[in-house]
Amino acid sequence: MMKILVRIVMFIAIGSIFFSIMGRVQPTYENNYTILYSDFIQDIRSNSVAEVSIDGETVKGKRRNGERFITYNPDDAHMIDDLIEYGVKIKVATPEKQSILMQMLMSWGPMLLLIGVWVYFYRKQQGGAGGGGGQMGMGKSRAKLLEEDQVKVGFSDVAGVEEAKEDVMEIVDFLRDPSKYEFVGGKIPHGVLLVGPPGTGKTLLARAIAGEAAVPFFSISGSDFVEMFVGVGASRVRDMFEQAKKRAPCIIFIDEIDAVGRQRGGSGPGGGGNDEREQTLNQLLVEMDGFSGNEGIIVIAATNRSDVLDKALLRPGRFDREVHVGLPDIKGREQILKVHIKKVPQAEDVNIKDLARGTPGFSGAELANLVNEGALLAARNNKRIVTMNDLDSARDKLLMGAEKRSMVMRKEDLLMTAYHEAGHAIVGQHVPEHDPVYKVSIMPRGGALGITMFLPERDQYSASKDKLESQISGLFGGRIAEALIYGKNKVTTGASNDIERATQLARNMVTKWGLSEKLGPMDYGDSEGYMGSQAKPMSEQMAIIIDDEIREVIDRNYQRAEDILKDNVEIMHNMAQALMDWETIDKFQIEKLLNGEKIDPPVDEPEEDESDKDLSDAEPVVEASADEAPLDKPAGAHGNQEM
């Protein structure tokens, strides 16, 4: 509102200046002019005018018969000539001469008025005229104050970060009853640094602390301190702490503190020699732990770049405690989803546990976005409640991109994609320690022509050798299925990304994770030919041994996947047929297919033509070789397994 008012006043002032300088209102012929100017000239030439008095735009005159008149002076040069020629007496009024000061005021007054109006409203916007120091109030703190009754967030609104909540609960207890800690000589931390990836709820946790403790909450971003004028940031820090002292006990929350708290003097990663930023940081260090105590003020800061912060900022007495707010595990994701799902009407088929299992690596903000996307999708389809299918579709969209329903594919290409994805699913289901299949689709998404999604039972923090080799076998399932059905000369580029990922897994097993029996538990470096952390060049003989080991891992798992698909050709036909009918099949349909059953097509399916006949009659071509060279240029990939 204040910004709008400032713009209106500035517009009016500028308009006034423009019209006062450029615009001159043309005079009107006033009623007190007794004769027309043309009659006045005629009277002069008829020698009936005795004398005139010229005063600016007015001419007053007297005829020879004593009659007086008034007319307008159009600044006509010939009028004076006529008056002199016919012997008319002329009087001219001397104009009043303005002083130099008045002339300056007339010239510069509008501009000075405009500047005064701008300064006044700018100071009002910065927190009131006459306050704050700095230039035009820029030294005033920009921290937003929320009184204790305005903070409506509590720990019940924060889910998925139980360990972080436990670390900060004693701060709440101290703010409620400081005497309990002071009695035993305990001091509450001056500052708490919340560290974690973006979207994990660091700001929400800080607000929850203020809400639970029922104390005022000052919120500001690290970038709000830094200005182009040196000293402004330090002034804002002083003003912020002065305001906080008046409302102690209270909490000051500084978001993205790395914007102002980076290492000084250009040392370390992200350092820089900015005088304004360094002075602001120095003032913050003094305010947090200087000669003047700030009892009752707790500073909470958040960042995802704690590695670039100045060491003086992290020492005890300033930020005494570092709280890690990490990505939630499966239990935390379930709790977060329950918090957000309460805000939308949901169907009975919504399974929060399955949704949490299918979102590993999601932050709290991403989970909230998932629920919102599901609600938007339901509303777009004119639904009154959000179903599990809506939430699944929203997750798939966030992970792999939107469905490309406008993409036109031939039935032959769709069928090959169906066999490709069926190969992934069948191999993944039969190898040990592989995640169970959750969904298979031949609907193009993002850069992928199809997807096979495997849903882990729980979050995984490490993987065994069996599990890694099972993943390699599953990745080759799509390529092998194409070779079995169409022959090795008909395989497509769709497996390019699968081959790349399988090769990288095998290389890591041999060179980084010590899972090669021949080479043992040693670090053999990267793909550039350098060994270990010391970056020693790798010998040509060692590179050959490593390549042979990688080839052995690839060949072994390729052959295992091929054997599995040869033994389950009928299931592969049925699954490809089901994908052609349904486009996407879920875990329940997949379970039936893997048990040897067939899936009926949708009831509204149009009558099939000759190209849609039962695929179980097709004879597989069993001539695929594990030595088949991969083709370049992937067709695009997204998801866990892809075409």
Side-chain angles (χ1 to χ4, degrees), residues 43-218:
D43 289 345
I44 294 174
R45 293 174 180 175
S46 63
N47 204 19
S48 60
V49 179
E51 61 181 36
V52 295
S53 176
I54 302 174
D55 186 2
E57 296 179 349
T58 303
V59 178
K60 298 179 180 180
K62 180 180 179 183
R63 292 187 176 91
R64 297 188 184 277
N65 59 7
E67 183 181 352
R68 295 186 178 275
F69 62 88
I70 301 175
T71 189
Y72 174 67
N73 178 16
D75 199 14
D76 182 6
H78 298 289
M79 179 186 70
I80 301 298
D81 295 338
D82 289 343
L83 291 172
I84 295 174
E85 181 181 352
Y86 291 98
V88 180
K89 295 181 179 179
I90 304 172
K91 294 181 181 179
V92 179
T94 304
E96 295 182 3
K97 191 173 183 179
Q98 294 180 340
S99 64
I100 297 177
L101 178 61
M102 184 60 66
Q103 292 179 9
M104 291 179 62
L105 287 176
M106 292 294 293
S107 301
W108 294 96
M111 185 61 69
L112 294 174
L113 176 63
L114 174 61
I115 294 174
V117 170
W118 181 81
V119 170
Y120 173 77
F121 282 105
Y122 186 84
R123 289 170 65 91
K124 293 285 282 185
Q125 188 178 10
Q126 296 296 324
Q135 298 204 14
M136 295 181 295
M138 286 191 292
K140 292 285 290 181
S141 169
R142 293 187 176 183
K144 298 177 182 177
L145 171 63
L146 295 177
E147 298 290 352
E148 51 267 29
D149 57 344
Q150 293 179 286
V151 183
K152 306 297 183 182
V153 180
F155 284 145
S156 60
D157 300 303
V158 183
V161 286
E162 299 306 316
E163 293 81 6
K165 284 199 291 187
E166 291 176 4
D167 280 344
V168 298
M169 278 182 180
E170 70 179 27
I171 297 176
V172 175
D173 192 27
F174 174 84
L175 290 171
R176 288 176 176 172
D177 185 15
S179 60
K180 181 172 72 172
Y181 294 87
E182 293 171 353
F183 182 78
V184 295
K187 294 182 179 180
I188 201 67
H190 287 194
V192 177
L193 183 65
L194 304 179
V195 181
T200 50
K202 299 183 290 294
T203 304
L204 183 64
L205 183 60
R207 290 170 64 92
I209 296 171
E212 292 287 340
V215 295
F217 182 79
F218 290 87

Side-chain angles (χ1 to χ4, degrees), residues 66 75 98 213 274 344 351 380 386-387 422 592 606 614:
D75 199 14
Q98 294 180 340
N274 185 303
V344 299
N351 190 324
R380 194 179 307 137
V386 179
T387 64
K592 288 183 179 180
D614 192 348

Side-chain angles (χ1 to χ4, degrees), residues 354 401 612 616:
D354 278 355
D612 291 326
S616 60

Side-chain angles (χ1 to χ4, degrees), residues 201-497:
K202 299 183 290 294
T203 304
L204 183 64
L205 183 60
R207 290 170 64 92
I209 296 171
E212 292 287 340
V215 295
F217 182 79
F218 290 87
S219 176
I220 193 171
S221 171
S223 60
D224 287 334
F225 290 114
V226 183
E227 285 283 354
M228 63 179 293
F229 301 109
V230 177
V232 173
S235 177
R236 287 178 178 171
V237 171
R238 287 191 296 270
D239 186 69
M240 180 178 66
F241 276 88
E242 287 174 5
Q243 294 182 35
K245 289 175 186 177
K246 298 175 183 178
R247 292 174 171 84
C250 66
I251 290 175
I252 295 176
F253 176 66
I254 306 175
D255 199 8
E256 305 297 344
I257 194 173
D258 50 277
V260 69
R262 290 172 180 260
Q263 296 182 20
R264 291 167 291 181
S267 61
N274 185 303
D275 288 340
E276 162 63 1
R277 183 183 57 77
E278 291 190 2
Q279 288 194 23
T280 305
L281 175 58
N282 291 338
Q283 188 63 42
L284 181 61
L285 296 175
V286 172
E287 292 291 343
M288 290 188 68
D289 186 24
F291 288 105
S292 60
N294 291 314
E295 297 298 332
I297 300 176
I298 296 177
V299 181
I300 300 177
T303 182
N304 49 29
R305 294 293 312 277
S306 61
D307 57 311
V308 304
L309 295 180
D310 195 276
K311 293 180 180 179
L313 195 63
L314 301 177
R315 74 159 177 81
R318 285 168 183 146
F319 284 107
D320 312 77
R321 181 172 299 179
E322 186 172 308
V323 178
H324 289 272
V325 187
L327 293 171
D329 56 14
I330 186 170
K331 184 178 179 181
R333 293 196 299 274
E334 185 178 345
Q335 294 172 348
I336 294 172
L337 286 168
K338 286 180 179 178
V339 170
H340 295 294
I341 205 72
K342 289 189 300 185
K343 303 174 184 177
V344 299
Q346 54 184 299
E348 294 181 358
D349 67 337
V350 173
N351 190 324
I352 301 298
K353 289 186 177 180
D354 278 355
L355 203 58
R357 286 170 52 205
T359 51
F362 272 49
S363 66
E366 290 170 328
L367 292 171
N369 188 39
L370 185 152
V371 174
N372 183 61
E373 286 287 344
L376 294 176
L377 182 60
R380 194 179 307 137
N381 295 328
N382 298 317
K383 297 180 182 178
R384 306 299 295 179
I385 57 176
V386 179
T387 64
M388 187 63 183
N389 185 54
D390 296 324
L391 296 172
D392 274 343
S393 299
R395 180 198 54 211
D396 295 346
K397 178 182 177 182
L398 295 176
L399 284 173
M400 295 166 284
E403 293 181 347
K404 293 184 177 179
R405 293 194 173 272
S406 61
M407 185 175 179
V408 179
M409 292 180 62
R410 298 181 307 162
K411 285 192 175 182
E412 293 83 357
D413 295 333
L414 281 174
L415 183 57
M416 180 173 282
T417 302
Y419 274 113
H420 184 107
E421 301 305 329
H424 283 312
I426 294 170
V427 175
Q429 192 67 20
H430 285 81
V431 291
E433 294 192 37
H434 202 288
D435 297 327
V437 185
Y438 180 73
K439 180 190 293 186
V440 182
S441 175
I442 58 172
M443 175 60 65
R445 284 180 178 273
L449 299 180
I451 62 167
T452 300
M453 181 179 293
F454 296 93
L455 200 61
E457 297 286 348
R458 59 189 179 276
D459 287 346
Q460 299 166 358
Y461 305 101
S462 61
S464 66
K465 181 178 179 180
D466 284 345
K467 184 174 183 64
L468 292 171
E469 292 205 2
S470 294
Q471 290 180 4
I472 294 173
S473 296
L475 285 166
F476 283 123
R479 176 187 174 88
I480 294 171
E482 293 181 21
L484 285 173
I485 300 302
Y486 298 98
K488 65 179 182 180
N489 293 326
K490 297 292 184 179
V491 293
T492 67
T493 60
S496 178
N497 184 257

Side-chain angles (χ1 to χ4, degrees), residues 559-620:
Q559 187 61 49
R560 176 170 63 169
E562 187 176 33
D563 294 341
I564 290 173
L565 289 179
K566 287 179 181 179
D567 295 338
N568 294 274
V569 170
E570 188 67 25
I571 294 176
M572 185 163 56
H573 286 314
N574 294 339
M575 189 173 293
Q577 180 67 58
L579 285 168
M580 291 295 291
D581 292 337
W582 292 86
E583 290 185 343
T584 301
I585 55 177
D586 59 26
K587 62 180 181 179
F588 303 108
Q589 294 171 307
I590 295 169
E591 186 177 351
K592 288 183 179 180
L593 290 166
L594 292 173
N595 290 331
E597 303 178 33
K598 290 186 178 182
I599 302 297
D600 295 330
V603 294
D604 58 345
E605 186 77 356
E607 185 176 350
E608 294 179 337
D609 57 22
E610 186 65 22
S611 63
D612 291 326
K613 65 180 181 179
D614 192 348
L615 303 177
S616 60
D617 296 335
E619 290 294 332

